[in-house]
Amino acid sequence: MTLLPFADLADFTRENEPMAQHTSFRVGGPVAYFIEPRTWDEFRAVYPRSQDAGLPIRVLGRGSNILVTDGPHPWVVVSTRRLHEIRREGNLISAGAGVSLPKLVAMAESCGLGGLEPLAGIPGSVGGAVAMNAGGRHGCVADRFVGGMVVAPGHMPRWAEHGEMEFDYRYSIVPKTHLLLLSATFELDLAAPRGLQAQRRTILAEKRATQPMKDRSAGCVFKNPPNLSAGKLIDQAGLKGTHVRGAAVSHKHANFIVNTGNATAADVLQLIDIVVQRVRDKFQVTLELELEIWDDQERK
Ligand code: EPU
């Protein structure tokens, strides 16, 4: 492999980069090229070069909701991590796609801007959070997102409104289009930082009590089926603690699979299949993945 397709982006391109270093699961094989552009222009430049080289592109936020298979993979992974600007204008706050969501929540709070507290404790990047409409019981990204800058391959960056995202439960159109989200703008309410801090702490405490936040995982593995709870179903199927080598169903919350040390993606996938099968056998409900699987088959 040679840096040739990305020779002019060499300062921030690495070859044969293990994805286990870039995912919260600490799982995932090497990818051909791993690129961390610093500007929108550098981002745009990656697309034509990858296309010319015939290499598929994947956009990575902070890697907290994906399972990357064991590889090696002939992909170009472009990370948003260095798009990390945050700007405030009145009660609007705009963040680059690579800003960490916890950092944005804390920043809004310290500016006396409320509305993002329901996102407290959700790991990941702003771009990833918008793409999957991340959220929890108290609210989701779509509640405060007003629009964002996006770019399609070969085009100039443009503003996209909330409506264009077609948000739904853990859903937006971003993953299935070739739109790349560069930044997101949220409309917030003026509020006292103290009160916001108290709300954020309550939500965080709730999560710490019920979720394995310190373990290596990719958050909830399955979506909640309509009017049901995936965690409860998996728990009631007696699956807590079930494991395939280093991948185990969490004892704390059954909708989490944790990497207890040396799990491979194959272990996690095998465990996912066991969980789906057992829940289907017991409750006649087919669980759907919430976490995104990155493999060579473009599985959805
Ligand atoms: N439950 C069990 N056993 C378990 C886990 C849960 O019986 O092992 C029961 C709980 O007691 C409760 C019900 O299932 O009665 C729902 O559980 P919980 O309140 O923990 O919420 P959840 O529906 O499992 C959702 C989101 C989480 C988010 C929390 C809190 C989904 C798939 N999950 O979980 O999001 O943090 O609400 O707001 O929508 C994520 O997206 O990665 C994620 C973890």
Side-chain angles (χ1 to χ4, degrees), residues 15 41 45 59 96 105 111 124 172 182 189 198 235 237 243 261:
E15 291 175 83
D41 281 342
V59 178
V105 174
C111 296
S172 86
L182 298 167
D189 305 319
D235 192 354
H243 64 98

Side-chain angles (χ1 to χ4, degrees), residues 65 132 135-138 169-170 207 210-211 218-220 222-224 229 231-232 235 240 252-256 290:
N65 194 49
M132 65 166 296
R137 164 172 353 122
H138 303 280
Y169 169 64
R170 300 295 181 273
K207 285 201 154 211
T210 57
Q211 299 182 5
C220 286
F222 300 100
K223 295 180 184 176
N224 284 336
S229 155
K232 198 177 218 164
D235 192 354
K240 276 186 170 172
K252 199 159 187 185
H253 193 302
N255 199 8
F256 285 67
E290 191 213 82

Side-chain angles (χ1 to χ4, degrees), residues 238-244 247-251 271 274-275 278:
L239 287 160
K240 276 186 170 172
T242 305
H243 64 98
V244 174
V249 175
S250 165
H251 281 283
L271 185 57
I274 291 172
V275 170
R278 291 270 287 273

Side-chain angles (χ1 to χ4, degrees), residues 184-202:
T185 300
F186 301 90
E187 187 170 16
L188 303 175
D189 305 319
L190 296 175
R194 271 240 178 119
L196 296 175
Q197 190 187 56
Q199 283 176 45
R200 179 170 60 89
R201 286 190 171 160
T202 306

Side-chain angles (χ1 to χ4, degrees), residues 68-89:
V68 181
T69 51
D70 296 315
H73 302 290
W75 311 330
V76 176
V77 169
V78 54
S79 160
T80 60
R81 185 174 275 266
R82 293 196 189 176
L83 299 181
H84 47 45
E85 197 181 58
I86 302 182
R87 268 185 300 153
R88 178 200 176 169
E89 277 172 61

